[in-house]
Amino acid sequence: MFPLLLVLLAVPLFLSARKQKRAMAEQQKLQNDLAPGDKVMTTSGLYGTVADASHDTTIDIEISEGVVTRWLRAAIREKVIETDEAVVVDNETDEAEAEVTTAQVAEPLDHNVKK
């Protein structure tokens, strides 16, 4: 009975450690493969374009035209692929949410008024 309990506890620990190790390796590969012109997002949510990736531990990101900042490579979370569809979908969602919010604000709040 004890060996079965030991196996039941060891297998999930082994699988989670393996999954975490794989994720770390993918993140390391992404950070090492960055090249100028890649669009990226940092761990703090800043979007920009890689301007210079020649340093070992840092990377220069252009966040606006003519504005270049230096970041640790470890701060790069993911590469970003921009498409026109994503922008259109986001705008449609924002407009729909704005209509709902406007309609909710326009409703009278006389729930407690006796007639």
Side-chain angles (χ1 to χ4, degrees):
M1 184 70 165
F2 181 71
L4 180 62
L5 183 62
L6 189 62
V7 168
L8 288 174
L9 292 174
V11 169
L13 286 174
F14 174 74
L15 293 176
S16 67
R18 205 171 127 203
K19 182 178 177 182
Q20 186 177 16
K21 189 175 182 179
R22 187 179 316 125
M24 291 277 292
E26 288 176 8
Q27 189 70 17
Q28 190 71 23
K29 183 180 182 313
L30 166 81
Q31 292 168 356
N32 290 334
D33 291 345
L34 290 173
D38 289 344
K39 295 190 183 310
V40 296
M41 181 178 79
T42 65
T43 54
S44 61
L46 181 79
Y47 289 89
T49 305
V50 175
D52 181 20
S54 62
H55 305 288
D56 290 336
T57 58
T58 61
I59 191 163
D60 292 344
I61 299 176
E62 184 175 25
I63 55 175
S64 182
E65 191 172 326
V67 180
V68 178
T69 57
R70 181 163 288 167
W71 293 76
L72 287 175
R73 281 185 182 266
I76 305 302
R77 181 177 186 165
E78 62 188 52
K79 283 187 183 180
V80 178
I81 300 171
E82 294 182 11
T83 62
D84 291 337
E85 292 178 9
V87 174
V88 171
V89 171
D90 287 343
N91 288 339
E92 290 174 1
T93 304
D94 291 342
E95 290 173 6
E97 288 175 358
E99 289 175 11
V100 170
T101 305
T102 305
Q104 290 171 346
V105 171
E107 291 179 10
L109 298 175
D110 49 324
H111 300 300
N112 297 328
V113 177
K114 293 183 181 180
K115 293 181 181 180

